[in-house]
Amino acid sequence: MGKLGGGELNFSSDVDLIFLFPEHGETDGARPIANEEFFTRLGQMLIRLLDAPTAEGFVFRVDMRLRPFGDSGPLVASFASFEDYLLRHGRDWERYAYVKARAITAPERYSEVYASAVRPFVYRRYIDYGVFEACAK
């Protein structure tokens, strides 16, 4: 999201990330774990790698506050729970933020979520006069 999604990163930018996974279930490895747990661990590892200070500095500051329910929400969300979140809880500022949202991995899978949830959320089919009031504030 943000400058990363807009292709506008600079040296002082942080990256705003949201981690989504296709569906609930279990991994198919030797010791299966819930998909949510697997992707939570993977997300935590990615955040540590990007945010870790080294002799040369760090790659990026990572901001996870824009994910569904912010800091109080889970680190990862399934496609279905993300779609439900947008329908029930999505706020005006999120509508504007998702204009710049882009997939970093699996763009073909994100296109499914984009078509079913993000695009209808951002680009409403009918005029929402509440948006005008929100912009005036």
Side-chain angles (χ1 to χ4, degrees):
M1 297 186 67
K3 288 184 178 182
L4 175 62
E8 305 162 344
L9 286 177
N10 60 50
F11 291 110
S12 64
S13 297
D14 65 352
V15 291
D16 301 297
L17 300 176
I18 295 174
F19 298 135
L20 303 175
F21 64 96
E23 59 194 20
H24 290 281
E26 288 188 339
T27 61
D28 58 2
R31 294 177 48 202
I33 60 171
N35 286 347
E36 187 169 11
E37 183 178 348
F38 173 81
F39 287 106
T40 297
R41 289 180 188 179
L42 186 63
Q44 290 167 335
M45 185 185 322
L46 178 62
I47 292 167
R48 274 195 309 273
L49 289 171
L50 291 175
D51 214 26
T54 67
E56 291 82 24
F58 56 89
V59 179
F60 288 110
R61 289 184 321 275
V62 178
D63 186 350
M64 298 299 299
R65 294 175 295 170
L66 297 184
R67 70 182 187 264
F69 300 111
D71 286 336
S72 62
L75 187 63
V76 301
S78 69
F79 289 176
S81 63
F82 178 65
E83 185 171 358
D84 183 65
Y85 169 81
L86 291 179
L87 286 172
R88 295 175 186 247
H89 306 285
R91 294 167 291 195
D92 290 332
W93 69 264
E94 289 173 299
R95 192 177 320 281
Y96 315 134
Y98 281 108
V99 168
K100 286 188 174 183
R102 302 290 180 269
I104 295 175
T105 62
E108 66 286 346
R109 295 303 305 265
Y110 178 71
S111 67
E112 298 169 24
V113 176
Y114 179 81
S116 67
V118 176
R119 189 173 197 287
F121 174 68
V122 172
Y123 304 103
R124 296 224 158 160
R125 190 172 192 168
Y126 302 101
I127 294 176
D128 180 359
Y129 292 99
V131 171
F132 295 121
E133 293 172 18
C135 291
K137 292 180 185 179

